[in-house]
Amino acid sequence: MIYVTHINNGDYMMVQGADFKDGASTFNISAKPFSGGIIEIRLDSKEGQLIGTSKIDKKGENYKIYTSEVERVHGVHDIFFVFKGESGELFHLDYWEFQK
């Protein structure tokens, strides 16, 4: 389980060596919104191929699962989650997953 806090505009995190095997078509992430924002899902670098985005609401009391479509990708890639939004803390993240 991953719990990420203090996420601000321009921050990013990387997951090394994710194996997409036969691909994925959806991305689910559990987030608790503050000022809200967008998570860009990119391959192999923070400026790499954009395969999807996940929009996180503004303001929320509890964690919620956000689901978005992603471009079908195969093989092993580093995944970069690039966080965009207004000023202040955007959201907290609890866990994420890709699904077929």
Side-chain angles (χ1 to χ4, degrees):
M1 183 179 294
I2 297 172
Y3 186 74
V4 183
T5 63
H6 302 292
I7 298 170
N8 295 285
N9 183 49
D11 290 346
Y12 68 94
M13 70 179 199
M14 187 263 290
V15 177
Q16 187 174 14
D19 189 351
F20 285 92
K21 295 182 184 177
D22 296 327
S25 60
T26 58
F27 172 73
N28 300 317
I29 191 156
S30 174
K32 180 178 180 182
F34 291 97
S35 63
I38 293 175
I39 302 170
E40 294 181 344
I41 307 159
R42 296 185 173 269
L43 297 181
D44 303 316
S45 78
K46 66 181 185 173
E47 295 88 18
Q49 177 186 350
L50 179 67
I51 63 167
T53 59
S54 186
K55 186 177 186 308
I56 308 299
D57 296 333
K58 290 184 177 185
K59 306 281 183 201
E61 302 261 335
N62 297 309
Y63 279 89
K64 176 181 170 183
I65 297 174
Y66 297 86
T67 299
S68 56
E69 292 183 11
V70 293
E71 184 177 322
R72 194 175 273 303
V73 177
H74 300 279
V76 177
H77 295 275
D78 294 338
I79 304 169
F80 283 76
F81 299 111
V82 181
F83 308 115
K84 307 254 175 132
E86 298 176 11
S87 63
E89 190 168 18
L90 303 179
F91 36 76
H92 289 178
L93 303 178
D94 187 12
Y95 67 89
W96 56 270
E97 66 181 352
F98 288 93
Q99 291 183 326
K100 287 186 182 184

